[in-house]
Amino acid sequence: MEMHQLRYFAAVARTGNFSRAARECRVAQPSLSQQILKLEDEVGERLFERTQRQALLTPAGSLFLPHALSILEAAERGRQEIREMGGQVRGKILLGALPTIAPYFLPDIIRSFRTKYPGVELIIMRRPRNNSFVV
Amino acid sequence: MEMHQLRYFAAVARTGNFSRAARECRVAQPSLSQQILKLEDEVGERLFERTQRQALLTPAGSLFLPHALSILEAAERGRQEIREMGGQVRGKILLGALPTIAPYFLPDIIRSFRTKYPGVELIIMRRPRNNSFVV
DNA sequence: TAATATTACGTATTACGTAAAGATT
DNA sequence: AATCTTTACGTAATACGTAATATTA
């Protein structure tokens, strides 16, 4: 049971159609079909009733769907929470740097750091224990 | 974010040690390490603080852990429910078969079917609309 | 030195896409 | 004929294990 298999499964359940699901998942339709078959093989039951018109959830499929959705949701929320946490890191960092070479590599580093941790106050020092200034 | 990465992540979180986690997951330790690094790369944050003694969850890791666990649990429960459902399919099936050839291929089919669906009553007919008997 | 995690790299697995074949309306 | 799914098969991506390289107690 792999993540992408669950994505494909959910898409087929939602659209009721392998081809449409494949388009939504941006994958070739036979590839999606293979992965659905593989998932069905692993759980030991057919998940869809394939008719010409549409792919309908079997009883096993209906039973499995909420679990698949909760997995996909948990994954998304996990990602989201960590992403949001980026902005919640707070504090101060005192950073010593040699004025002669700092301009060559510090700007890029500082820019990416401040994007990732806007809550952190960066303090760059020309030399230790003296003349600090906030960037 | 792949299923096995979440398994590895949960194992490291539980054992506090990459090597022990790798043994539990029956995978080489460098392979597990790679997958953890890959997961960290995807979510954009370190999930563990690596010290010599142990691997401790970072704030991001602590935030992510419950989601990972809920994913693994949902996967297990999905599998389990489908497995249990096998015994819940009920009904009757009327099956026509030619007595001359049925003995050669029916027994295996019937045996596996009854194992999978013990709640289904199989009725085999010697010839249509007459002399049915329950196997 | 011992115990740990990471990097390097070759191998084996596997998900993919294209093409062809079935199946059904 | 048209629409949809599965099968076949070669290719590309990737997870794996072994070995080597840090890193720190």
Side-chain angles (χ1 to χ4, degrees), chain A residues 2 4 15 25-26 32 48-49 58 60 73 75-76 83-84 87 99 103 120 125:
Chain A
E2 299 303 326
H4 60 273
T15 64
C25 295
R26 287 134 189 269
L32 179 141
F48 295 105
E49 190 72 39
T58 59
E73 281 167 24
E76 192 43 54
R83 212 175 304 136
E84 287 168 359
V120 176
M125 300 184 73

Side-chain angles (χ1 to χ4, degrees), chain B residues 35-96:
Chain B
Q35 294 304 310
I36 296 288
L37 288 171
K38 203 167 177 183
L39 180 59
E40 290 178 325
D41 190 55
E42 182 194 331
V43 302
E45 297 279 347
R46 280 253 145 166
L47 297 172
F48 295 105
E49 191 72 39
R50 280 83 155 169
T51 75
Q52 283 315 110
R53 293 256 157 269
Q54 55 188 344
L56 285 172
L57 284 167
T58 60
S62 305
L63 214 58
F64 190 65
L65 181 59
H67 297 288
L69 292 179
S70 99
I71 288 173
L72 295 172
E73 282 167 23
E76 192 43 54
R77 288 199 321 178
R79 269 188 282 261
Q80 185 63 23
E81 266 193 35
I82 288 186
R83 213 175 301 137
E84 288 168 358
M85 195 212 60
Q88 290 174 0
V89 174
R90 310 206 158 275
K92 296 182 186 180
I93 291 180
L94 216 63
L95 173 63

Side-chain angles (χ1 to χ4, degrees), chain B residues 6-19:
Chain B
L6 299 176
R7 273 200 308 277
Y8 300 166
F9 168 70
V12 174
R14 183 159 40 76
T15 64
N17 180 302
F18 277 56
S19 305

Side-chain angles (χ1 to χ4, degrees), chain A residues 4 8 27-28 30-31 34-35 38 52-53:
Chain A
H4 60 273
Y8 299 168
V27 71
S31 301
Q34 281 180 344
Q35 293 304 309
K38 202 166 179 183
Q52 282 318 108
R53 292 256 158 270

